[in-house]
Amino acid sequence: MTIRIFLLVLLSVTISAVAQVALKRGMSGPIVQRALDGSELVPKLIAVGMSPMVFLGLALYAVGAVVWLLVLAKIDVSQAYPFVGIGFLITLGFGVLLLGETVTLARIIGIAFVSVGIVVLSRS
């Protein structure tokens, strides 16, 4: 894998992690939360669809998918896909930094296992 392809993988995974944060922010907003408390489906869908952060998250997923397609055009999916696990690390970091989430020992252990797995798979 060339450095260019690795950087494209990292870009795609990072975009997806940012998309997760945007979706979380959008779904946690007061308008969406009030709509989700109701029983009617249509107001829920409208509130979610009208949330700028939800829209941003979905748009970022689309951009990340395009970058991922560029990766898959250059290397085997079995070589590229293990690096998606890096997204766990990035998302955890963004969750802590941007959303104030806490890091538990179980999460640290899980991330360590994922990291070791990525290294093992990337070297094979």
Side-chain angles (χ1 to χ4, degrees):
M1 177 183 308
T2 67
I3 190 72
R4 181 175 181 266
I5 297 301
F6 177 74
L7 291 174
L8 283 175
V9 169
L10 194 57
L11 178 63
S12 175
V13 171
T14 301
I15 290 170
S16 294
V18 173
Q20 283 293 326
V21 172
L23 290 171
K24 173 61 178 165
R25 285 245 168 115
M27 293 304 293
S28 299
I31 294 172
V32 172
Q33 286 297 305
R34 276 194 303 275
L36 293 177
D37 286 342
S39 61
E40 297 293 321
L41 179 62
V42 173
K44 290 178 184 181
L45 294 175
I46 290 171
V48 170
M50 297 298 288
S51 168
M53 291 304 283
V54 170
F55 183 80
L56 175 64
L58 294 174
L60 285 170
Y61 265 131
V63 172
V66 170
V67 174
W68 188 249
L69 291 173
L70 295 173
V71 169
L72 294 180
K74 299 293 183 186
I75 63 173
D76 293 339
V77 69
S78 60
Q79 185 182 11
Y81 200 73
F83 288 95
V84 172
I86 294 170
F88 290 108
L89 298 166
I90 297 169
T91 304
L92 176 70
F94 284 156
V96 170
L97 294 173
L98 302 175
L99 300 174
E101 296 180 354
T102 58
V103 180
T104 63
L105 180 60
R107 286 185 186 180
I108 292 171
I109 292 169
I111 292 296
F113 278 122
V114 169
S115 299
V116 169
I118 292 167
V119 170
V120 170
L121 285 170
S122 69
R123 298 179 62 81
S124 63

